[in-house]
Structures are given as structure tokens and as C-alpha cells.
Amino acid sequence: RSMSRIAGVVLMLLFLASCKDSLVNFNRDLAVDYFSFEFMQARAKIRYADGKQSVNAVANIRIKKDSLIWMSVGKVGIEGARLLINPDSVLIIDKLNRKYITYGFEELSQKFDFDIDYHLVESVVLGNLIYPYEREKVEKTEGFLKYDQQLENFLFNNFIGTETKKLEKLQVEDVTTKNTISVNYSDFQEINQEVFPFSIDASINYVEKSKKNIDITIGFSRAQIGSQPLSFPFRAPSKYRRI
């Protein structure tokens, strides 16, 4: 009987040894590299497709961290729209159709059937964690440290690159509707000693067949960060129709 106990202990130790590379103790400090700055300006190519339309555009982007995202969107030499995203709303000047549009985040959340706020939008654009790591169990997979977070009706699957220490993949599921958001980050480059993903592929996938899935691709051609304040010009002509 004593030999069988010893054999059992040995087998258990071997099992634990085989698992140590796949499971990481949740008490361990997980090193995640956040993209930090005060002001940012960038240029990117954006592709949007939702099953009904596909749009390719060039965007000039300016960001004041935790406050504002400004975009000038159009074709080369022609500005078609200007956007201003703040913690309360999304404002759009549609220059092609001479319209001025205002959306609250609650309205946008209903429109996309997904809970959206400024923090989520900024985090996705920058490649930062939406919510900080807080003692969740970490699983080691090929090339990633993965951990899950359950927050209200949403399940977050975070994939941190073992080499980049950056968020490389994000999957968010609305456990009520089963709709999902998936984001993949790549082409990491250094900007003023900060590492930023120059390529972002995102998609919103709906369970309900009447809703068309949305795919967004952002490819940055240049980006700069600094402490010097930027301007965020945004004024709709009085003749524009407000919606």
C-alpha cells in the first residue's frame, strides 16, 4: 500500500511538472506593455465593410489621451467627413452630404447591439487592455499568455504576446446575445520608446442572421506622440442639416 501511495505521489508530481508550462499562477505579476502618451497624431488607411457597403479611406487622427479622438477622413486630397469622439458622444460632420450628426454612446450601443463607450473605443485603437489585469488565472498557450475576465454581461479573452508583452488578440463576448468582438494587433513598432501596433483588424460578429457582420481594418503609415498640445478643429457650417 505504501508503494502505491509513493507511486501516486510521483505520478502527481509528474503531472504538475507537465502542467507548469501551460498554467501560470494568478499571483504572478503579469507584465503587459501599455501604450502611454499625452497627445498623438497619426495617419492611417481604413477599410470598413458591413455586408452592404465597403468603404476605403485615408484618415488623419489626433488623440488627447482619455479625452478626445479626432479624425479627418476622406480620399487623397478630399475630406469627406470629420469625427470628434469624446467621453459623452460621437460627433460627425458629413461634408459630402452637408450633414451634422450627433450620437450618444447609449444610442450607438443600441445601433451596434453592443455596449460601447469612449474607453473601449480608445483602448481598441491603441491596443491597450480595456480592463487591467487583476489576479486572474493565466494560461500559457503557443506564443501567448491568455487570461479571461468576466465583467457584467461581457467575457473578455486577452492574449498577451510572450515576446512583445503587448495585447495581440482580444475577444469579447456578450454572454446575453452571444455577439462577439474580435481584434488582432500586429506590426508592432517603437515610437518614442513606446511600442504601438501599426496594423489592427477588428470585427463585430452577430448571432442574429438579419444583422450583417462588420469588419474594420486600420493600417497606420505613421504615428507620433508627445506632450505638445494638438488642435482639434471641429465646427459644422450653419447651413449643414443637423441629425
Side-chain angles (χ1 to χ4, degrees), residues 111-124:
K111 180 180 178 66
F112 289 103
D113 200 12
F114 219 105
D115 193 14
I116 300 172
D117 60 19
Y118 178 86
H119 175 67
L120 183 145
V121 173
E122 187 182 85
S123 297
V124 168

Side-chain angles (χ1 to χ4, degrees), residues 13-25 28 138-146 162:
L13 290 173
L14 289 173
F15 173 76
L16 291 174
S18 67
C19 292
K20 69 177 183 179
D21 288 333
S22 61
L23 293 178
V24 180
N25 193 309
R28 169 181 169 177
V138 178
E139 179 183 354
K140 188 173 183 181
T141 61
E142 186 175 356
F144 299 104
L145 293 176
K146 174 183 176 290
T162 53

Side-chain angles (χ1 to χ4, degrees), residues 11-238:
L11 288 173
M12 181 61 70
L13 290 173
L14 289 173
F15 173 76
L16 291 174
S18 67
C19 292
K20 69 177 183 179
D21 288 333
S22 61
L23 293 178
V24 180
N25 193 309
F26 67 85
N27 288 319
R28 169 181 169 177
D29 291 330
L30 179 66
V32 182
D33 184 11
Y34 281 82
F35 184 66
S36 300
F37 65 97
E38 293 182 60
F39 293 92
M40 175 180 179
Q41 55 183 339
R43 185 174 177 85
K45 289 183 178 180
I46 298 177
R47 181 181 181 274
Y48 171 94
D50 62 10
K52 295 181 180 179
Q53 62 176 336
S54 178
V55 179
N56 292 282
V58 176
N60 290 303
I61 304 169
R62 299 176 186 177
I63 302 176
K64 180 181 180 182
K65 188 73 166 63
D66 299 325
S67 301
L68 291 171
I69 300 174
W70 177 96
M71 292 188 189
S72 173
V73 183
K75 301 292 185 180
V76 178
I78 302 174
E79 184 181 43
R82 192 168 289 190
L83 290 79
L84 187 68
I85 307 172
N86 61 48
D88 298 319
S89 58
V90 176
L91 312 176
I92 303 172
I93 299 175
D94 182 348
K95 292 192 171 185
L96 297 179
N97 297 296
R98 297 179 178 273
K99 295 188 298 184
Y100 177 66
I101 308 166
T102 304
Y103 291 109
F105 278 106
E106 184 176 350
E107 183 181 0
L108 279 176
S109 296
Q110 293 175 352
K111 180 180 178 66
F112 289 103
D113 200 12
F114 219 105
D115 193 14
I116 300 172
D117 60 19
Y118 178 86
H119 175 67
L120 183 145
V121 173
E122 187 182 85
S123 297
V124 168
V125 170
L126 299 177
N128 284 337
L129 292 174
I130 297 175
Y131 296 101
Y133 171 76
E134 293 184 359
R135 293 174 61 84
E136 289 88 1
K137 182 179 289 186
V138 178
E139 179 183 354
K140 188 173 183 181
T141 61
E142 186 175 356
F144 299 104
L145 293 176
K146 174 183 176 290
Y147 69 92
D148 303 334
Q149 295 169 306
Q150 178 78 49
L151 296 160
E152 297 183 354
N153 294 329
F154 295 92
L155 176 63
F156 295 81
N157 306 130
N158 302 280
F159 295 81
I160 311 301
T162 53
E163 293 186 6
T164 63
K165 308 299 182 186
K166 298 286 294 187
L167 178 67
E168 293 191 17
K169 289 170 51 177
L170 170 67
Q171 296 172 348
V172 187
E173 178 185 358
D174 184 331
V175 296
T176 303
T177 64
K178 301 303 180 183
N179 298 330
T180 60
I181 291 178
S182 299
V183 189
N184 291 291
Y185 300 96
S186 58
D187 191 14
F188 292 94
Q189 299 182 34
E190 188 173 299
I191 308 171
N192 292 11
Q193 299 181 333
E194 297 286 337
V195 179
F196 179 72
F198 271 62
S199 181
I200 303 173
D201 292 297
S203 63
I204 303 177
N205 300 293
Y206 298 102
V207 173
E208 191 176 326
K209 292 184 178 179
S210 62
K211 289 184 173 292
K212 301 296 184 182
N213 294 339
I214 297 172
D215 294 304
I216 301 172
T217 300
I218 304 175
F220 290 90
S221 57
R222 66 172 182 262
Q224 295 177 311
I225 59 174
S227 58
Q228 187 69 28
L230 300 173
S231 62
F232 299 86
F234 195 88
R235 185 175 181 180
S238 58

